[in-house]
Amino acid sequence: MPTQTKAKSAKFDAGKYHGLDRDALVRIYRTMFLSRRMDDREIQLKRQNKIYFQISGAGHEAVLVAAGMALKASHDWFYPYYRDRALCLALGVTPYEMMLEGVGAKDDPASGGRQMPSHWGHQKLNIVSQSSPTGTQFLQAVGAAEASVYYEQFPKAFEQARSGPLGGAMNHHADEVVYVSGGEGATSEGEFFESLNTASNKRLPVLYLIEDNGYAISVPVEVQTAGGSISKLVANYPDLLIEECDGTDPLASYAAMSRATAHCRARKGPALVHAHVTRPYSHSLSDDEKLYRCDAEREDEARRDPIPKFGLFLVREGILEEREVEALEADVEREIAEGTDRALAAELPAKDSIYQWVYSPDVDPTGSQFEAEPRIEGEPKTMVEMVSATLMDEMGRDERIVVFGEDVADCSREDSLAALKGKGGVFKATAGLQRKYGAQRVFNSPLAEANIVGRAIGMATRGMKPVVEIQFFDYIWPAMMQIRDELATMRWRSAGTFKSPLVIRVAIGGYLTGGAIYHSQCGEVTFTHIPGLRVVMASSALDTCGLLRTAIRSDDPVLFLEHKHLYRQPYNRSAYPGADFTIPFGKARVVREGTDATIVTYGAVVHRAEVAAAELARDGVSAEILDLRTLSPYDWGAIEASVRKTNRVLIAYEDSLSWGYGAEIAACVADELFGELDAPVRRVAATDTFCAYQPKLEDEILPQTEDIVRAVRELTAY
């Protein structure tokens, strides 16, 4: 509390305060003080075991309140991080709502009790659901800003977004800005630099706020950042406005944030505000800063604390008298107490609510609405040609669809396109799309997989429908954080208030005679293990068309795996089945009926199973083949019916035998159908090694027709 008084000035000069009037200055102090006391109350509640986690925004309040005043709630878009309590309060999140988050209440607007407190999210205020990984938000903010620009060029796309599921939450304004923040430690993540590269390259309206308190938990900034200053490190990014300010001074912060916001609103490019703040408390209640910060340093930091500094400033300037400050602070304490009492009495989530919002409640891709008969037309197409044809039709139907990834465009330099055949992907799966729909809808990305997926998440959150390509499954791993911790969790962690329905197309698999370790990988089981993500792998051109269209029209994120070996095979070709042909997810295809054994398979192994079944038939063995087509969900009903008929089952798959996809099916058969079996459940799969370059070694490693024949004969002889 300030200890010096001064009479109010007779004449108030807003020019001294960057145009802010008396009420605005008082509101700044009140919001800052409210934020600090919310932290203090949560710390108390955590020690009383009434909440279960606490991480504070103490020391960051001044620049965050300034950001909230420079930007517009429910107009601009916000990707905050865990120290942004004061920003959220300034935008309109109430102390009661924050306390609901702390206790994990059913009506917590951020996550319905699914996330830790300080993981902000508020649909009505355009505060996009925040997660825990550091730095992932930067790329999503870039994607959200791309949506801002896209909707200006394609207004029909915005109307389509408004008419879809969660459409009421979609909004767009011509001058909107996308705010994204992080600590200086988060700028060490590669995704920060990937985002900055794209934001500058495309001159996107992204406002970065880097809240530099000098420490990433216990690691000081000079260890994190070359030269100790992130703003100096990124100074040469084109069209990037950089503002550096004392983030403990709300007026200097407001001036910097206002200039940065104006730069973005004018569509001059991105802006970065580097705010030097303090961290008077430890990183979180799990941390003790006394273990790595000396007393002298901590005392020096205390003198920069924005709360007492600004309170004293208001008194000295005659904006408030000491008694008015005391009344304001008492009012804040009452508001917090009332919000806390209400939150502690609030209803908790029902136990069965954990199953809500894993997938879309609005569109069921396994449903009968996706059952359609093909309307065959034209000459047979290969699988890769079917991908292109399907995308061509869907892009004409839905203006929200954009296609991007490495090398997917026909030619990035459009002036040259008329004289060139065009690339259209390394496998030609996207050939002709840019030529028909333009470079705003089909474009190349940087060679950066996290960049592709992270931006797509931001676009999808804003209502667009990205269909992105990861060129090879072998290189999907840089995007794994975005896929596992961001894409798949968005709907669930926000209690259904945000979603990211997009399609990730990926070329996968071996049998390439020369693909070797880094062009032949499988590993689909890694992704089928992720709740919230649909995983598809077709084995024929016809199924590729129907399943890809279902993936695009569904309301969930889909990993669409396209086997490279199958792209141009003559045996799986099909004439085009029409622009509305869809296939439900979770519905296996009976490739061949049989009575003696069931072969459950998918992908490139389907054809090998067909060849094996033909050989077995010559010996009088009747094998039934099920092509799963979708791996998550998969068709348990078809497996159950077939095993009850044949009483023997073999699961054949291309990935490594141990801990592979077939292990789950084998376990379910053993659990549910043990009494129906006349022989043990068997698996045929790749060896527990990597895929070799030499073709003879590849043949030894990957499952072959003769392996399937041998396994079925052993089953029938058991």
Side-chain angles (χ1 to χ4, degrees):
M1 183 183 70
T3 57
Q4 182 175 340
T5 61
K6 181 178 178 180
K8 291 183 181 178
S9 302
K11 183 179 180 181
F12 181 86
D13 182 7
K16 291 174 58 179
Y17 312 113
H18 304 288
L20 295 170
D21 61 21
R22 188 187 304 273
D23 288 344
L25 295 174
V26 174
R27 189 165 69 251
I28 287 172
Y29 181 72
R30 189 185 192 284
T31 308
M32 289 169 58
F33 184 76
L34 174 61
S35 180
R36 180 67 61 88
R37 294 302 289 145
M38 285 289 295
D39 277 328
D40 293 339
R41 189 58 190 271
E42 282 189 354
I43 290 169
Q44 180 188 48
L45 292 170
K46 172 67 172 69
R47 288 172 175 157
Q48 295 171 344
N49 293 320
K50 293 180 179 178
I51 67 172
Y52 317 105
F53 176 80
Q54 207 283 329
I55 191 165
S56 83
H60 294 228
E61 296 96 345
V63 71
L64 289 169
V65 175
M69 297 184 73
L71 294 159
K72 303 175 186 177
S74 306
H75 180 102
D76 297 316
W77 288 80
F78 300 90
Y79 285 80
Y81 93 119
Y82 49 80
R83 301 225 189 267
D84 282 16
R85 181 189 300 279
L87 168 75
C88 294
L89 288 167
L91 293 175
V93 181
T94 67
Y96 169 61
E97 288 173 325
M98 289 189 177
M99 284 300 179
L100 288 175
E101 192 176 357
V103 301
K106 179 176 80 66
D107 294 330
D108 154 35
S111 74
R114 293 156 186 252
Q115 291 222 82
M116 293 172 167
S118 298
H119 286 54
W120 316 111
H122 203 293
Q123 185 192 74
K124 293 180 181 178
L125 300 174
N126 291 354
I127 302 173
V128 179
S129 175
Q130 179 206 324
S131 65
S132 287
T134 55
T136 48
Q137 69 272 25
F138 293 122
L139 283 169
Q140 293 169 42
V142 168
E146 288 181 273
S148 298
V149 174
Y150 188 83
Y151 285 144
E152 283 300 297
Q153 297 172 311
F154 298 93
K156 180 182 176 183
F158 179 64
E159 292 306 313
Q160 289 176 314
R162 289 278 294 172
S163 64
L166 270 187
M170 301 301 162
N171 60 76
H172 166 67
H173 303 89
D175 67 341
E176 66 192 18
V177 171
V178 178
Y179 163 99
V180 62
S181 63
E184 83 289 342
T187 66
S188 296
E189 296 281 2
E191 292 175 42
F192 168 74
F193 291 96
E194 290 182 24
S195 76
L196 207 56
N197 179 48
T198 297
S200 294
N201 202 21
K202 289 178 169 278
R203 298 183 69 190
L204 296 170
V206 183
L207 198 168
Y208 294 80
L209 174 59
I210 304 304
E211 302 164 38
D212 186 349
N213 62 33
Y215 279 90
I217 305 184
S218 68
V219 182
V221 64
E222 69 271 15
V223 176
Q224 287 280 347
T225 306
S229 170
I230 189 60
S231 55
K232 289 183 174 61
L233 205 59
V234 302
N236 289 326
Y237 277 81
D239 299 309
L240 175 67
L241 174 69
I242 295 177
E243 295 278 348
E244 191 167 7
C245 67
D246 178 359
T248 67
D249 180 342
L251 299 184
S253 297
Y254 177 74
M257 291 299 302
S258 296
R259 289 190 293 268
T261 302
H263 178 83
C264 293
R265 290 209 197 283
R267 298 302 186 253
K268 295 179 179 179
L272 185 146
V273 176
H274 182 188
H276 295 275
V277 297
T278 70
R279 198 190 76 189
Y281 300 168
S282 295
H283 168 73
S284 70
L285 284 190
S286 303
D287 175 51
D288 183 0
E289 67 172 13
K290 294 177 183 177
L291 299 175
Y292 51 86
R293 299 182 76 176
C294 64
D295 290 343
E297 179 184 351
R298 294 171 60 243
E299 289 167 5
D300 183 62
E301 283 263 296
R303 285 189 284 271
R304 296 180 57 227
D305 192 314
I307 307 293
K309 271 192 354 179
F310 194 61
L312 186 58
F313 171 84
L314 293 179
V315 171
R316 285 175 173 170
E317 292 290 301
I319 307 298
L320 286 175
E321 295 179 2
E322 185 174 340
R323 60 181 177 78
E324 292 175 306
V325 174
E326 291 175 349
L328 179 153
E329 292 176 350
D331 184 61
V332 165
E333 298 288 3
R334 281 193 296 273
E335 183 179 4
I336 293 173
E338 290 171 4
T340 301
D341 290 345
R342 287 180 63 200
L344 290 173
E347 182 182 357
L348 299 181
K351 290 181 180 180
D352 60 0
S353 70
I354 59 174
Y355 299 107
Q356 286 182 289
W357 303 302
V358 178
Y359 299 101
S360 171
D362 302 300
V363 180
D364 179 7
T366 71
S368 59
Q369 70 270 31
F370 288 101
E371 293 178 354
E373 291 298 320
R375 299 179 182 274
I376 300 298
E377 57 187 52
E379 296 297 316
K381 295 180 182 293
T382 63
M383 180 187 283
V384 74
E385 290 170 334
M386 199 68 86
V387 170
S388 179
T390 306
L391 289 174
M392 196 77 73
D393 274 349
E394 287 301 293
M395 291 187 75
R397 172 183 175 272
D398 190 343
E399 205 169 75
R400 299 175 304 151
I401 297 173
V402 291
V403 172
F404 66 99
E406 298 162 22
D407 296 299
V408 302
D410 291 310
C411 180
S412 288
R413 293 172 176 164
E414 286 194 281
D415 292 345
S416 304
L417 189 55
L420 297 169
K421 184 177 180 181
K423 180 77 174 175
V426 296
F427 297 104
K428 307 298 183 187
T430 53
L433 293 179
Q434 179 198 354
R435 200 180 296 273
K436 181 168 184 177
Y437 292 109
Q440 302 305 311
R441 296 188 65 191
V442 183
F443 49 90
N444 288 326
S445 72
L447 203 164
E449 288 76 14
N451 177 288
I452 296 168
V453 176
R455 289 163 62 194
I457 295 171
M459 293 178 191
T461 302
R462 295 290 311 276
M464 292 177 64
K465 177 66 78 164
V467 180
V468 299
E469 178 180 304
I470 299 295
Q471 199 166 88
F472 290 94
F473 182 87
D474 317 65
Y475 309 134
I476 199 172
W477 311 113
M480 193 62 183
M481 181 79 84
Q482 290 288 350
I483 295 171
R484 175 61 180 85
D485 285 345
E486 301 294 334
L487 175 64
T489 66
M490 179 66 79
R491 190 190 302 271
W492 191 86
R493 75 177 193 240
S494 69
T497 58
F498 291 98
K499 60 174 183 171
S500 295
L502 58 91
V503 179
I504 306 173
R505 295 180 41 255
V506 192
I508 190 173
Y511 299 108
L512 304 179
T513 59
I517 302 171
Y518 301 112
H519 290 80
S520 301
Q521 289 181 22
C522 284
E524 57 276 5
V525 70
T526 304
F527 297 90
T528 57
H529 184 68
I530 300 174
L533 183 67
R534 308 287 193 181
V535 183
V536 178
M537 189 187 289
S539 66
S540 71
L542 184 68
D543 286 354
T544 294
C545 176
L547 292 168
L548 180 57
R549 185 170 283 109
T550 299
I552 293 170
R553 296 187 184 185
S554 75
D555 197 38
D556 293 314
V558 180
L559 184 69
F560 196 85
L561 303 174
E562 301 166 7
H563 203 291
K564 300 187 294 291
H565 176 74
L566 300 178
Y567 265 153
R568 291 181 171 83
Q569 294 295 339
Y571 56 74
N572 68 357
R573 293 188 301 168
S574 170
Y576 193 60
D580 288 310
F581 178 62
T582 54
I583 296 173
F585 288 177
K587 186 173 182 179
R589 176 171 66 99
V590 179
V591 178
R592 180 182 180 124
E593 293 194 356
T595 56
D596 296 327
T598 297
I599 303 172
V600 180
T601 187
Y602 57 91
V605 183
V606 171
H607 182 64
R608 282 157 179 77
E610 289 184 89
V611 176
E615 182 177 333
L616 289 163
R618 289 193 288 271
D619 296 335
V621 177
S622 175
E624 182 153 294
I625 302 172
L626 293 183
D627 176 5
L628 290 178
R629 303 197 290 192
T630 63
L631 308 183
S632 179
Y634 70 87
D635 191 346
W636 170 250
I639 295 171
E640 180 181 23
S642 183
V643 172
R644 289 186 185 277
K645 179 169 65 172
T646 68
N647 309 115
R648 294 172 176 84
V649 61
L650 169 71
I651 305 110
Y653 54 102
E654 187 180 337
D655 201 4
S656 299
L657 178 71
S658 298
W659 303 285
Y661 182 80
E664 172 65 18
I665 297 174
C668 286
V669 171
D671 280 349
E672 302 293 331
L673 302 172
F674 183 78
E676 302 292 330
L677 295 175
D678 291 339
V681 180
R682 289 290 305 275
R683 289 172 292 156
V684 166
T687 57
D688 292 340
T689 65
F690 306 100
C691 193
Y693 167 75
Q694 221 297 320
K696 289 186 178 179
L697 293 178
E698 183 189 61
D699 287 348
E700 185 67 23
I701 291 163
L702 299 181
Q704 305 297 333
T705 296
E706 54 265 31
D707 300 320
I708 298 171
V709 170
R710 182 169 55 253
V712 172
R713 283 176 175 159
E714 290 172 358
L715 281 175
T716 55
Y718 185 82

